[in-house]
Amino acid sequence: MPVLETRSLTKVFGGLTAVNNVDLHVDQDEIVALIGPNGAGKTTVFNAVTGVYPPSSGSVVFQGREISGFPPHKATQLGIARTFQNIRLFGEMSALENVLVGQHCRTKYTVVGAVFRGPRSRREERGAIARAEELLEYVGLSSYQDEAARNLPYGSQRRLEIARALATQPSLLFLDEPAAGMNPQESGALMDLIRQIRAGGMTIMMIEHDMKVVMGISDRVIVLDHGEKISEGTPEYVRGDPKVIEAYLGKSA
Amino acid sequence: MEQNKPLGPLEPAESARPGVPTEAPEAGRFRAPLNPVAALFTGRGPEWVRYALLGGVLLVAALLPFVIQSDRWLTLFTIVLIYVVLASGLNIVVGFTGLLDLGYVAFYAIGGYYAAIIFVQVLKNGFGLDISEMWWLTWVNVLVGGGLAAVAGSLIGYPTLRLRGDYLAIMTLAFGEIIRIVANNWVGLTRGPSGVSGVPKFAIGDFVFKTNFRSYFLALALAVISLFVISRLVRSRVGRAWTAIRDDEVAAAAMGINTSRYKLLSYSCGAFFAGTMGVFFGQYLNFIHPSNFKLMESFVMLCLVVLGGMGGLVGPVVGAVIWITLQEWLRDFEFIQLHPEVRGMVMGIVLVLLMIFRPQGIIGGRRVPLYRKLRRERVSKE
Ligand SMILES: Nc1ncnc2c1ncn2[C@@H]1O[C@H](COP(=O)(O)OP(=O)(O)OP(=O)(O)O)[C@@H](O)[C@H]1O
Ligand SMILES: [Mg+2]
């Protein structure tokens, strides 16, 4: 059973069909890349699956459960985490606090626990802090622990978003252009990190324009163009697919 | 922690991060060097500095009535303390959660009217009971009044959840006015424009908080408790959820935060403190009148937050102390006594100047840490 499956997923914005009848699936422990020209509808697929907006039609099945139309916090609670194409960190919070927020849905205490700091909330809080520190170390950002997120260098912000997403303890991780704006050295390091995360038992779906990254780490590539899936297969297959080449190079008039 | 093993062994991704120092960066590389005052406000720096400063402030506050014994000033200080709590409560909504609330005075009114109505209208006039015997109720009221305001907070919060910016402002503004207009017109319940008098004072048995001296200490105690509770709320999972919503609501939802629920919680918590202060106000002045809860009050409260600095714990406190004191002190000038309307103008000019030269507020938007490192030795106790 695939971890995630969409059936005829469609998203319409006014008159624009951003995603058109897309069937895709992601299997356990796979790294799937979702590629396509600008405006192909890749981010919209992520948004429709994670509940940023409900799909116009079609279904989204996560771990055997129909989740289309679920609000985003539900999707996260169920185990889908994501990063954003335009980095969306909590800018005023420190790196550590960003990762702590990521653990929100894995901790439970609320107002009473916060005010009285009973044993349970203390235990949860201590665990959350320890884990946040571990995660920062894992992505190599320990030295920025107390720094406001918006002051971090660009590449580090992307890594922090990944740490924050991992903090939600997902079983499926969505990365929206994780290598965007990175230099070759940084994107190389990012590839190592993504491989390492997968090796720890994570299923990953990634939108990426950097072909070196796509070809380097994905098991399977899905290509979207104008909201439709036009190709799917191994990186080698997709690279040679005339339809893909046409989509990227433009249709010959 | 145990149930989650998606990462496998947690090894530092050292190799993956060339060029990033593993050692903590030099102090001062990212932030200005710490001085003790900054340490208090930012929560950084040695802990004892913060506690020492906090203790110092409390000591001054506690000694104040022994030094300045004039009734006029004691009344002023008590009012200042009320506004300290109001501003700090409003700051939960405005500063930490990033929601505009122009009707905050409504919750203050709900607390005040609750105390007045339960004592005078219900128990005394309705049941003919001797309310001077019911001193314990003065204390219960503080919590019940807060609770009522909190419920009202989530009720009015609910329809505003989908609104943003201007619409939210107008909606909350309207709510603030509605409560006052109801208080003015529902004569059967609130006695309308004549107000409710005869609200009993706080008391413990025969010990009545009847002097300004005693009331001041009561207000101080309530303020200290309120600030303590607020600081604990903020430095927790709850405060982090609020701040996350403020910084980026979409990302907050993606972190599994039920943003609607936490916005309502923010309204409720903010309203709670206004409600408790409303009860205090009623049982302190013994008189409640619709004109205590004018729209202008909401603006003043918002001013205190903006003036002192949003997003921190100290800003609203400083804002309230400075602003309310200034407001009263201006009354001493002969010129202003002759032309009372000038006072509002002077305050307006001060505010405009401040916003030009220090838009982040007196204290500034210095952030407080949203978590607290819990001491290790507690681990063994559990
Ligand atoms: N919230 C929205 N409202 C209206 N139109 C939208 C919205 N989000 C996306 N679109 C439109 O849907 C189409 C697909 O957008 P999407 O962001 O999914 O593309 P993408 O494949 O992620 O592109 P890129 O590589 O540039 O990120 C675009 O034409 C875009 O303008
Ligand atoms: Mg995109």
Side-chain angles (χ1 to χ4, degrees):
Chain A
M1 184 181 70
V3 175
L4 177 79
E5 196 174 0
T6 70
R7 297 190 198 113
S8 323
L9 185 70
T10 302
K11 180 67 201 176
V12 181
F13 294 113
L16 177 89
T17 307
V19 175
N20 194 359
N21 274 311
V22 170
D23 295 304
L24 58 79
H25 67 97
V26 185
D27 292 323
Q28 184 71 41
D29 293 347
E30 227 184 350
I31 298 181
V32 174
L34 186 60
I35 66 169
N38 290 113
K42 307 179 294 291
T43 300
T44 306
V45 168
F46 273 19
N47 286 341
V49 170
T50 56
V52 172
Y53 28 68
S56 307
S57 65
S59 77
V60 179
V61 179
F62 175 65
Q63 291 178 332
R65 182 169 174 184
E66 172 67 50
I67 62 158
S68 56
F70 276 35
H73 65 91
K74 264 281 162 51
T76 309
Q77 279 162 14
L78 290 175
I80 306 178
R82 69 173 296 181
T83 65
F84 293 89
Q85 180 172 355
N86 325 304
I87 301 174
R88 302 190 82 140
L89 288 164
F90 306 116
E92 296 294 318
M93 294 195 208
S94 72
L96 189 83
E97 285 160 4
N98 269 273
V99 183
L100 283 174
V101 174
Q103 297 183 70
H104 180 89
C105 58
R106 303 299 171 219
T107 44
K108 291 204 173 58
Y109 77 90
T110 60
V111 171
V112 175
V115 173
F116 292 99
R117 280 205 188 128
R120 195 184 94 182
S121 60
R122 275 175 181 277
R123 200 179 326 116
E124 282 187 0
E125 192 73 359
R126 203 179 296 110
I129 293 169
R131 178 153 178 87
E133 286 168 348
E134 274 172 26
L135 278 165
L136 281 182
E137 197 175 329
Y138 184 74
V139 300
L141 294 177
S142 287
S143 55
Y144 292 116
Q145 184 165 317
D146 295 322
E147 194 56 34
R150 70 182 145 74
N151 295 341
L152 262 57
Y154 189 79
S156 301
Q157 292 195 6
R158 289 222 174 267
R159 298 177 78 90
L160 180 56
E161 264 212 333
I162 294 177
R164 188 181 67 170
L166 290 175
T168 66
Q169 301 181 9
S171 34
L172 173 63
L173 179 63
F174 279 174
L175 302 172
D176 198 342
E177 304 198 15
M182 286 188 172
N183 62 37
Q185 188 196 25
E186 285 176 315
S187 61
L190 178 81
M191 285 162 71
D192 290 342
L193 178 66
I194 294 174
R195 279 198 203 96
Q196 204 177 343
I197 292 170
R198 193 259 298 269
M202 182 80 66
T203 307
I204 296 170
M205 174 137 113
M206 150 183 97
I207 296 172
E208 189 48 68
H209 281 299
D210 184 333
M211 281 307 141
K212 232 179 93 215
V213 175
V214 172
M215 297 300 153
I217 58 175
S218 21
D219 303 311
R220 191 154 55 86
V221 180
I222 296 171
V223 190
L224 288 189
D225 188 26
H226 296 300
E228 288 175 38
K229 187 167 91 175
I230 55 165
S231 180
E232 178 174 2
T234 61
E236 293 71 30
Y237 169 80
V238 164
R239 186 160 45 180
D241 188 340
K243 273 191 286 190
V244 177
I245 295 166
E246 190 185 82
Y248 271 91
L249 297 181
K251 321 239 175 323
S252 37
Chain B
M1 295 304 294
E2 286 74 27
Q3 82 263 32
N4 119 79
K5 274 264 157 239
L7 291 180
L10 277 176
E11 290 159 21
E14 212 80 337
S15 58
R17 213 39 217 150
V20 165
T22 34
E23 293 296 304
E26 294 290 313
R29 181 175 147 198
F30 294 112
R31 57 190 80 102
L34 286 170
N35 64 53
V37 181
L40 175 70
F41 295 148
T42 58
R44 286 176 177 142
E47 211 155 306
W48 68 265
V49 176
R50 279 191 294 137
Y51 284 125
L53 273 161
L54 202 61
V57 170
L58 276 179
L59 194 67
V60 170
L63 292 179
L64 210 54
F66 297 98
V67 181
I68 302 172
Q69 287 173 336
S70 94
D71 264 346
R72 163 141 199 263
W73 282 98
L74 277 180
T75 311
L76 167 65
F77 294 147
T78 308
I79 301 286
V80 165
L81 287 169
I82 292 176
Y83 280 93
V84 162
V85 177
L86 290 172
S88 301
L90 179 58
N91 191 39
I92 292 178
V93 181
V94 176
F96 284 106
T97 321
L99 304 166
L100 191 52
D101 188 350
L102 293 177
Y104 192 64
V105 72
F107 306 119
Y108 186 43
I110 285 171
Y113 267 101
Y114 160 72
I117 289 170
I118 191 82
F119 267 127
V120 179
Q121 298 291 73
V122 176
L123 295 174
K124 186 169 153 224
N125 297 344
F127 292 97
L129 298 172
D130 179 10
I131 53 172
S132 60
E133 294 289 294
M134 305 178 125
W135 58 269
W136 53 270
L137 192 57
T138 57
W139 305 100
V140 175
N141 276 350
V142 173
L143 288 178
V144 177
L148 275 180
V151 171
S154 51
L155 287 184
I156 72 124
Y158 190 75
T160 64
L161 277 177
R162 291 161 165 275
L163 303 178
R164 310 199 130 270
D166 307 346
Y167 301 101
L168 182 62
I170 289 166
M171 179 97 186
T172 55
L173 191 84
F175 180 69
E177 276 295 89
I178 286 169
I179 292 289
R180 189 183 60 82
I181 291 167
V182 167
N184 217 357
N185 292 296
W186 192 350
V187 179
L189 186 70
T190 66
R191 291 201 186 159
S194 43
V196 186
S197 57
V199 187
K201 286 190 182 291
F202 282 95
I204 304 172
D206 291 336
F207 184 87
V208 182
F209 287 79
K210 55 177 186 275
T211 61
N212 278 320
F213 184 81
R214 289 176 183 178
S215 294
Y216 170 82
F217 279 101
L218 184 57
L220 184 61
L222 285 178
V224 168
I225 295 170
S226 302
L227 289 176
F228 174 77
V229 169
I230 292 172
S231 88
R232 282 222 157 165
L233 278 175
V234 164
R235 286 159 210 246
S236 77
R237 173 177 180 266
V238 178
R240 292 192 294 267
W242 288 336
T243 315
I245 290 170
R246 178 195 70 193
D247 281 3
D248 190 326
E249 199 174 330
V250 172
M255 295 301 111
I257 295 168
N258 185 338
T259 52
S260 306
R261 180 188 295 173
Y262 274 84
K263 282 197 223 168
L264 286 185
L265 190 62
S266 170
Y267 277 124
S268 287
C269 288
F272 176 86
F273 293 100
T276 60
M277 280 301 115
V279 172
F280 175 83
F281 182 70
Q283 297 178 172
Y284 164 64
L285 283 187
N286 321 110
F287 180 61
I288 284 288
H289 189 267
S291 70
N292 296 136
F293 308 110
K294 282 199 286 241
L295 190 57
M296 191 59 200
E297 287 295 301
S298 280
F299 294 148
V300 168
M301 292 171 202
L302 195 62
C303 270
L304 303 181
V305 176
V306 176
L307 188 87
M310 298 192 260
L313 290 166
V314 184
V317 176
V318 172
V321 171
I322 293 180
W323 190 253
I324 303 294
T325 312
L326 179 71
Q327 198 172 305
E328 292 302 308
W329 175 66
L330 280 177
R331 285 189 211 273
D332 280 354
F333 290 86
E334 204 173 318
F335 179 75
I336 287 184
Q337 282 161 5
L338 289 174
H339 307 276
E341 68 283 356
V342 177
R343 194 173 64 117
M345 213 170 83
V346 173
M347 305 292 286
I349 291 170
V350 172
L351 197 66
V352 169
L353 287 179
L354 209 97
M355 287 301 103
I356 291 171
F357 294 109
R358 211 171 154 73
Q360 70 275 45
I362 298 167
I363 296 303
R366 292 244 183 74
R367 41 181 311 284
V368 290
L370 301 171
Y371 67 97
R372 179 125 165 62
K373 272 249 155 195
L374 299 163
R375 276 177 226 93
R376 285 280 170 217
E377 61 261 36
R378 304 254 180 180
V379 181
S380 51
K381 279 191 193 165
E382 278 161 26

